[in-house]
Amino acid sequence: MIPFTYERAADANSAAKAAAQPGAKFIAGGTNLLDLMKLEIERPAHLIDITRLPLRQIEAKDGGVRIGAQVPNSDLAAHPLIRDRYPVLSKALLAGASGQLRNKASTGGNLLQRTRCYYFYDTSKACNKREPASGCAALQGFNRIHAILGASDSCIAVHPSDMAVALTALEASIETMLPDGSKRTLPIGELHRLPGDTPHIETTLHPGELITAVVLPPPPPGNQTYRKVRDRASYAFALISVAAIVRVEAGRIRDSRIALGGVAHKPWRALDAERALRGKPASMESFANAARAALRSAKSYGGNDFKIPLAHRVLTRTLAEVAGIEGAA
Amino acid sequence: MATRSPLSPAINPIEENRQGIIGKPLDRVDGPLKVTGRAKYSYEYRGVKDTTYGFIVGSTIGKGRISAIDTSRAESAPRVLAVVTYQNAPKQAPLHPREPGPSRFDRSEPFLFSPEVRYFGEPVALIVAETFEAARHAAGLVSVRYVKDPQAKFDLMTHQSQAYKPKGVNAGMKADTSEGDFDGAFASAAVKIDVTYHLPHEHSMPMEPHATQAVWEGDHLTLYSGQQVAAWAQSSVAKTLQLPLENVRILTPYVGGGFGSKVPIHAQAVLAALGAKVVRRPVKIAQTRPQMFANTNHRPECLQRMRLGATKDGTLTAIAHDVWSQTTPFDEFIEQTAAFSRVMYAAPNRFHRHWGVMLDLPTSDIMRAPGEEPGSVAQECGMDELAVALDMDPIELRIKNEPTDDPETHLPFSSRSLVECYREGAQRFGWSKRPKRPGTLRDGRWLVGYGVASAMFPTYLRPSAAAVRLNADGAAIVKTDMTDIGTGSYTVLTQVAAESLGLPTDKVTVELGDTRLPKSAGSGGSFGAASAGSAILLACEQLRSQIAQLVSKDRRSPLAGANVGEVALRGGNVVAGEKSESLQAVLSRLAPSGIEGKGEHQGAEKQPKYSSHVFGAQFAEVGVDIDTGEIRVRRMLGVFGSGRILNPKTARSQLIGGMIMGIGAGLTEESVVDPRDGSFVNRDLAEYHVPVHADVTQIEAICLEEKEPYANPLGIKGLGEVGIVGVAAALANAVYNATGVRVREFPITLDKVLGGLPDTIAT
Ligand SMILES: Cc1cc2nc3c(=O)[nH]c(=O)nc-3n(C[C@H](O)[C@H](O)[C@H](O)COP(=O)(O)OP(=O)(O)OC[C@H]3O[C@@H](n4cnc5c(N)ncnc54)[C@H](O)[C@@H]3O)c2cc1C
Ligand code: SF4
């Protein structure tokens, strides 16, 4: 860990201002940032502690919900508004990390947690994300957990969050404050970036920009679910996850929202699948077609070849389940 | 059957168990200390107030040499006291010879002694600083240049063809054994299988990291170090630093798990001592979790070819078990993986052979049930595959091939309850409900299957000594350098002493984990309770006999003139026939300053008359998600024939702990090596998947009534390791039963079954 200075922010604006200095970083629950600092992967010169900012409210707003950036993952998962109206989010949160971590982890921090790519975690390895232009050790290395969609030759890492996948399906928006005190709102789909040839730039946030809240629009009609496939029953990151909201009317799919986790550098909205479903009969055939559409551009790298058929199966199956269809076999 | 243990006293209070303390589910005597945080682990000793902190810098190449090392920036960083490298490290003994000699663990183990790099992550520098943070920071400021060795080898499969034949394998066993004519019998066998299993590197990864605090006083060194065997750590450190043995003291009263990895000393122990010598202040070092992957024990990756030949009725005629496992050019460890199949089933024609494949990786070493755990995979999955080929129930196949004596040594078994374990387990588990054809039992989206496998572990007895002191107030203090690595040693040894001395358990205090105490075998090889416990029993017997002589000679005692052999300690009294006097009265009159008994034995006989092992049967029910291939354990039952049970609570904990670790071996644990540079890739507990609570649903272990007359005077069998044996195979067999997919590559992760699952999305 390299030496750093520390301050506790008094209010959101001064936090954003302080964080605009080069080398400064916010610290919330610290469950991701501190681990990375100990390994000298993150090397902030200055930390701005935002845990005491008054951003801990979960409030009903315009038929939706506004979630303060400091709300812990465990509180959010347990909140009646979320459990009743946004079960996909509650399920996704509870599928992540462990009880202890969820108590500490904040909503804002969860969105901005960094990849678990093994080579990103080992400072002796080439990693374009950690050190631009150094190469990508995962490309020809052990890449069992890596991306199948939207990756580049510069980086095949995945975004590890479960929560963000549910938020993507819910079309949440992100409220922020900039160092000059102005506010902006952006759709979650515009928060994270694909790697391209700049995998070290992970979001569209500006220097010092503070996430203050996540806003959920009214829940879309339909059934919601979150399905996470992983290597052990708990406390493991997703190999593939699916957040799905499907509305069936008279045996046909009126509308759907589908997001995938464990597949890409960002929570992956499967718009192609949604389009493929619209107006189609709620049948295994439609769901399998939708999965095919979602994975049309999928590409694997050896260790993660299994993820493509796995994603196909789990997406098809999850859609069938949320639509209340008994599948074949 | 067998005679008694040669070490058993004429009247054996453990056998008699008059007070009923043996077999009682006594709570852990150290439990309150642990849950209140008062049990101190190595890193928690505050030490004297000038304690400093060490941080290890590991190499970032797999093999080669250091061409330049620049420590100047680290040295001038704030609060840094020293940077130690091979260029300035205090003198150490040369590295031990490659071949293990009489003990792998009692030997020199220098670090920072050469510019050569043997494996990725090998220490190349040690930072010592005033604070942990300063040390950690300075570690990042050391810059090292290397010349890589282009000939480096990291991959087992690639280099299998360069395997060599070792002289022997771990635990002093022979590399190869054979009997009869395997080739002929196998060629003419009516039914046969010939399959190869591939098992990954695995790491012990105890919760407490490997940590040491070193304190010098003149040329005397005290190490607070989590170790399983205090005496080996002591002599290994003394040899490395070229000190007289008595100048080194190891303190290891509490250890947060070991699983083999704290039997040897590791880098942090030696480096703490070197660092402390350089800065002339105490140094403490804890390995980080990623460092532990390179610098503690791992079980080596191996390939196992299993050939079984049988007659049509399932009688085995031929067994061949060939094993290739990873070892290194600088240290030979050959896991005794083919030893499992030497003991399990009768067959007149057989061989069991080992090869080593030298790779430039950290040395492999013992991990819970070394040999038996991986060996059971090939033998017990092999039996399942043979049962399928024979269309026979896998339990009946095993019972049919139950040997009448040890198939290798042809000694009689002192006790062996494998068949009873299967019968009892089958009953309790509901084995008759197992689907006869794979892939036919469904529960919602789960494909459900059952599997079994045998477990076995040798019953060792190793030299140990103990002293037991009785104070005039009738309280006893037991002293031995035995360790409690979370197993329950404090508790069961309390029970052994209390029953032997006829005292309640709260009158007995056990002191462990200090090389100033009488030397024991320590914890390893499941020999701890038997070895240390037998020494305690002998010490108590000596006490009894001293007391008997005192009272029989004392005219004031109601026991005056009693026959010394008939005097017993019972219920706080000294008794002989109808006569009795309180122990406290006897002691305060005849030994007012207390009295001490010593016990010592030399372990098992050199030429044993019997073959002694614990046997068991592992039952597993798994569910395989028909869509995703996710494998979850639904139920597990282990049934063991394990001699006398000292404490059913600690016994059960050991057994189910082993079984849970077996879930890891079967389904989740794998240390992946990057073949480009020999580094372990998944170096933390987020990505090295040990089973978590949610992976463990219904799990039960039971011990059958079994009399072990011979192996040791307590009549017990070690339970620390047998619980893990056979679990991976039982799970693999259950996965096959659930899906019809036979996976021979471990761990069985979902990607390995996915391709064989029904097409659930066909439209
Ligand atoms: C062993 C382990 C297992 C885990 N398993 C899972 C899992 O299965 N699924 C899952 O989804 N997650 C998992 N996690 C990750 C966990 O959810 C995240 O670590 C956590 O959500 C991060 O939140 P935090 O508040 O601790 O963030 P911090 O560590 O404090 O911060 C993370 C990043 O976000 C930035 N940041 C924080 N708050 C703000 C803000 N308001 N505005 C702008 N920037 C901000 C920080 O500067 C930092 O860069 C796991 C973590 C661990 C350690
Ligand atoms: S996949 Fe991305 S994060 Fe991983 S090594 Fe390559 S560049 Fe780094």
Side-chain angles (χ1 to χ4, degrees):
Chain A
M1 184 154 12
I2 65 161
F4 58 89
T5 51
Y6 169 93
E7 75 177 277
R8 180 173 282 151
D11 56 69
N13 192 199
S14 53
K17 243 192 218 113
Q21 313 158 54
K25 248 187 153 19
F26 301 117
I27 180 161
T31 60
N32 189 224
L33 183 58
L34 281 178
D35 280 2
L36 294 170
M37 284 171 64
K38 289 180 194 165
L39 296 166
E40 301 193 349
I41 295 160
E42 293 271 16
R43 309 166 69 101
H46 185 63
L47 284 186
I48 299 124
D49 182 343
I50 55 173
T51 52
R52 306 253 173 118
L53 296 184
L55 302 172
R56 284 182 179 259
Q57 254 47 276
I58 301 175
E59 50 200 359
K61 191 192 157 204
D62 304 334
V65 177
R66 187 171 186 280
I67 303 156
Q70 280 305 316
V71 171
N73 287 177
S74 45
D75 291 12
L76 185 57
H79 197 280
L81 269 178
I82 304 300
R83 289 210 331 231
D84 295 349
R85 303 185 59 211
Y86 303 92
V88 62
L89 177 56
S90 187
K91 273 190 171 182
L93 283 160
L94 293 176
S98 66
Q100 296 92 325
L101 284 160
R102 292 194 295 269
N103 287 339
K104 263 290 193 188
S106 67
T107 307
N110 189 315
L111 281 171
L112 298 188
Q113 64 175 297
R114 306 195 67 191
T115 185
R116 308 301 293 204
C117 170
Y118 320 106
Y119 299 99
F120 174 71
Y121 265 79
D122 182 344
T123 49
S124 71
K125 301 295 190 291
C127 171
N128 289 324
K129 181 182 284 301
R130 191 169 16 77
E131 215 176 301
S134 62
C136 169
L139 216 46
Q140 256 104 59
F142 181 60
N143 49 33
R144 184 168 185 273
I145 60 176
H146 288 74
I148 53 172
L149 288 167
S152 71
D153 283 350
S154 295
C155 179
I156 57 172
V158 299
H159 193 269
S161 170
D162 290 295
M163 180 191 82
V165 179
L167 292 181
T168 300
L170 289 167
E171 291 189 344
S173 50
I174 312 297
E175 288 184 3
T176 68
M177 176 171 285
L178 289 128
D180 65 4
S182 63
K183 295 179 180 173
R184 76 172 176 136
T185 300
L186 63 160
I188 186 161
E190 289 172 19
L191 175 65
H192 299 98
R193 305 174 74 231
L194 287 177
D197 51 13
T198 53
H200 59 292
I201 307 174
E202 294 173 347
T203 70
T204 55
L205 296 178
H206 301 293
E209 189 165 2
L210 174 76
I211 296 178
T212 51
V214 171
V215 177
L216 302 180
N223 290 334
Q224 308 179 3
T225 198
Y226 187 76
R227 173 76 151 102
K228 177 174 179 179
V229 180
R230 48 185 149 178
D231 276 328
R232 59 185 166 191
S234 174
Y235 200 42
F237 290 93
L239 290 167
I240 301 283
S241 70
V242 179
I245 306 170
V246 176
R247 180 181 183 192
V248 181
E249 272 176 14
R252 281 186 183 270
I253 294 146
R254 171 86 182 269
D255 226 335
S256 68
R257 303 265 195 84
I258 303 166
L260 301 176
V263 297
H265 200 253
K266 59 187 281 187
W268 186 264
R269 178 82 181 265
L271 286 170
D272 289 341
E274 294 174 15
R275 268 192 291 275
L277 280 180
R278 196 158 302 134
K280 295 280 156 35
S283 67
M284 283 309 281
E285 188 179 353
S286 308
F287 299 133
N289 281 338
R292 216 164 287 133
L295 296 163
R296 194 162 293 131
S297 61
K299 181 173 173 202
S300 59
Y301 300 86
N304 65 351
D305 291 350
F306 71 98
K307 275 193 173 187
I308 298 177
L310 176 63
H312 203 117
R313 294 172 75 104
V314 69
L315 178 51
T316 307
R317 182 65 212 162
T318 306
L319 291 171
E321 243 161 49
V322 73
I325 302 298
E326 264 307 308
Chain B
M1 238 245 158
T3 52
R4 311 180 74 200
S5 155
L7 293 176
S8 184
I11 301 171
N12 185 332
I14 304 300
E15 263 170 28
E16 297 197 348
N17 197 20
R18 299 252 185 159
Q19 302 193 116
I21 291 172
I22 299 302
K24 245 172 79 172
L26 185 67
D27 287 341
R28 275 170 201 261
V29 297
D30 51 337
L33 286 179
K34 286 188 171 167
V35 296
T36 55
R38 282 176 293 153
K40 266 196 200 166
Y41 295 83
S42 319
Y43 200 76
E44 296 174 325
Y45 283 89
R46 203 174 299 237
V48 254
K49 72 170 180 298
D50 60 349
T51 294
T52 65
Y53 297 81
F55 197 85
I56 299 169
V57 182
S59 77
T60 55
I61 63 160
K63 186 178 169 66
R65 68 193 331 262
I66 297 171
S67 58
I69 184 160
D70 179 0
T71 57
S72 56
R73 280 173 69 215
E75 274 159 6
S76 57
R79 317 190 79 173
V80 169
L81 300 169
V83 180
V84 188
T85 68
Y86 78 91
Q87 291 166 336
N88 63 350
K91 189 165 177 304
Q92 301 168 77
L95 183 66
H96 56 73
R98 178 170 185 273
E99 284 177 13
S103 166
R104 287 181 54 67
F105 309 115
D106 179 2
R107 57 183 194 174
S108 64
E109 198 64 78
F111 287 91
L112 305 180
F113 62 97
S114 141
E116 302 296 326
V117 172
R118 299 171 290 172
Y119 57 89
F120 196 103
E122 177 175 4
V124 292
L126 172 73
I127 313 288
V128 184
E130 300 265 355
T131 65
F132 171 72
E133 291 76 12
R136 191 161 193 159
H137 171 225
L141 302 177
V142 175
S143 94
V144 188
R145 270 188 298 155
Y146 301 96
V147 180
K148 284 190 202 170
D149 181 344
Q151 309 295 329
K153 300 173 196 166
F154 304 121
D155 187 57
L156 184 75
M157 302 283 253
T158 313
H159 299 287
Q160 189 191 1
S161 59
Q162 296 162 32
Y164 75 99
K165 175 65 56 194
K167 287 199 201 118
V169 299
N170 186 50
M173 295 184 188
K174 293 194 181 107
D176 293 0
T177 58
S178 67
E179 192 172 303
D181 167 24
F182 169 80
D183 291 328
F186 187 69
S188 61
V191 181
K192 54 187 138 187
I193 59 144
D194 178 355
V195 288
T196 299
Y197 301 91
H198 184 189
L199 277 60
H201 299 289
E202 292 169 359
H203 275 84
S204 301
M205 287 296 133
M207 282 314 291
E208 182 204 19
H210 295 66
T212 302
Q213 177 162 192
V215 184
W216 287 92
E217 282 158 294
D219 58 356
H220 283 70
L221 174 66
T222 301
L223 290 183
Y224 301 83
S225 191
Q227 300 290 157
Q228 294 180 225
V229 184
W232 274 338
Q234 177 191 31
S235 66
S236 195
V237 168
K239 283 179 181 161
T240 307
L241 302 178
Q242 299 175 312
L243 292 169
L245 188 67
E246 57 279 11
N247 286 23
V248 178
R249 181 181 186 189
I250 306 289
L251 282 162
T252 178
Y254 297 103
V255 183
F259 312 114
S261 74
K262 290 173 186 167
V263 174
I265 57 165
H266 288 297
Q268 92 290 339
V270 175
L271 293 176
L274 295 180
K277 193 163 192 178
V278 171
V279 302
R280 299 168 176 274
R281 288 167 64 175
V283 171
K284 60 175 166 181
I285 306 177
Q287 290 199 42
T288 65
R289 194 62 66 177
Q291 288 174 341
M292 286 168 66
F293 279 81
N295 290 299
T296 70
N297 292 22
H298 75 270
R299 193 197 297 285
E301 181 179 1
C302 69
L303 288 159
Q304 301 183 50
R305 181 180 184 195
M306 193 82 216
R307 280 171 285 176
L308 299 171
T311 60
K312 282 210 175 86
D313 71 350
T315 305
L316 282 170
T317 54
I319 299 178
H321 191 181
D322 286 318
V323 181
W324 294 262
S325 55
Q326 176 252 324
T327 182
T328 68
F330 59 91
D331 181 19
E332 178 175 84
F333 171 78
I334 306 288
E335 190 165 9
Q336 69 274 34
T337 298
F340 180 88
S341 55
R342 289 174 181 166
V343 181
M344 292 311 298
Y345 305 110
N349 306 292
R350 54 201 302 146
F351 55 72
H352 311 261
R353 311 184 294 196
H354 297 87
W355 284 267
V357 181
M358 279 192 231
L359 300 178
D360 299 302
L361 296 175
T363 187
S364 52
D365 213 320
I366 54 169
M367 174 167 161
R368 202 174 202 167
E372 285 75 19
E373 192 284 321
S376 68
V377 171
Q379 174 74 77
E380 296 300 314
C381 288
M383 290 301 268
D384 203 67
E385 300 208 40
L386 184 64
V388 172
L390 286 159
D391 197 18
M392 191 171 173
D393 182 281
I395 294 182
E396 292 314 314
L397 175 63
R398 288 172 171 92
I399 291 174
K400 180 147 206 130
N401 291 290
E402 174 74 1
T404 50
D405 59 13
D406 183 317
E408 162 147 300
T409 60
H410 296 291
L411 290 172
F413 288 108
S414 56
S415 58
R416 171 164 166 142
S417 309
L418 182 62
V419 172
E420 292 80 355
C421 290
Y422 272 116
R423 298 252 187 257
E424 177 72 21
Q427 187 72 25
R428 290 187 183 231
F429 198 70
W431 182 250
S432 58
K433 298 201 195 75
R434 166 184 178 263
K436 296 283 169 298
R437 296 280 159 256
T440 55
L441 183 61
R442 279 285 287 273
D443 176 8
R445 303 302 296 172
W446 295 103
L447 295 164
V448 178
Y450 290 28
V452 285
S454 302
M456 177 279 282
F457 197 84
T459 299
Y460 294 114
L461 185 70
R462 294 187 51 87
S464 283
V468 179
R469 188 174 173 77
L470 269 172
N471 291 332
D473 64 358
I477 298 161
V478 177
K479 296 178 183 213
T480 158
D481 79 352
M482 174 62 188
T483 53
D484 187 327
I485 60 171
T487 47
S489 309
Y490 279 109
T491 312
V492 298
L493 297 180
T494 298
Q495 288 173 275
V496 167
E499 187 60 56
S500 302
L501 296 172
L503 291 175
T505 48
D506 60 9
K507 284 275 192 192
V508 176
T509 309
V510 174
E511 289 178 14
L512 303 179
D514 179 349
T515 44
R516 294 214 171 142
L517 304 176
K519 180 170 158 180
S520 77
S523 302
S526 300
F527 48 59
S531 304
S534 296
I536 291 169
L537 171 67
L538 297 178
C540 293
E541 162 60 17
Q542 208 203 60
L543 267 179
R544 184 205 62 82
S545 128
Q546 288 180 45
I547 292 167
Q549 282 170 24
L550 289 175
V551 290
S552 87
K553 280 196 225 130
D554 178 29
R555 269 182 288 122
R556 286 164 297 178
S557 171
L559 286 86
N563 183 343
V564 168
E566 280 159 20
V567 175
L569 304 175
R570 197 173 296 151
N573 297 313
V574 185
V575 299
E578 302 290 284
K579 294 179 203 142
S580 163
E581 185 180 8
S582 94
L583 179 61
Q584 221 173 314
V586 170
L587 291 173
S588 46
R589 190 172 69 248
L590 299 172
S593 57
I595 180 170
E596 188 164 295
K598 288 199 162 69
E600 183 165 7
H601 64 83
Q602 296 311 315
E605 296 159 295
K606 295 279 169 295
Q607 301 290 331
K609 297 181 199 63
Y610 296 90
S611 171
S612 297
H613 309 259
V614 47
F615 291 93
Q618 306 274 13
F619 291 78
E621 178 185 326
V622 303
V624 181
D625 187 299
I626 194 169
D627 300 299
T628 65
E630 286 167 292
I631 301 162
R632 301 290 180 252
V633 178
R634 292 157 65 100
R635 288 191 297 144
M636 285 202 338
L637 169 68
V639 184
F640 302 90
S642 43
R644 178 177 288 119
I645 296 302
L646 293 173
N647 179 328
K649 209 176 220 174
T650 54
R652 178 178 177 278
S653 292
Q654 282 301 292
L655 289 169
I656 65 171
M659 291 165 71
I660 291 166
M661 210 160 171
I663 297 177
L667 305 180
T668 59
E669 291 182 42
E670 173 172 19
S671 307
V672 177
V673 169
D674 191 316
R676 296 171 297 182
D677 64 7
S679 62
F680 285 109
V681 177
N682 50 334
R683 303 177 310 156
D684 59 37
L685 293 182
E687 298 301 337
Y688 181 83
H689 291 147
V690 299
V692 296
H693 283 293
D695 293 306
V696 183
T697 45
Q698 279 187 55
I699 187 163
E700 205 38 78
I702 56 170
C703 296
L704 300 183
E705 289 263 329
E706 184 190 72
K707 197 165 159 47
E708 169 51 55
Y710 172 72
N712 56 68
L714 307 178
I716 65 172
K717 294 179 175 180
L719 297 181
E721 290 164 277
V722 71
I724 194 176
V725 182
V727 174
L731 292 169
N733 297 339
V735 168
Y736 173 77
N737 186 240
T739 62
V741 183
R742 179 65 72 180
V743 181
R744 301 195 183 94
E745 181 121 353
F746 287 75
I748 308 179
T749 45
L750 61 87
D751 43 305
K752 295 172 191 163
V753 296
L754 200 60
L757 295 178
D759 184 1
T760 55
I761 56 176
T763 52

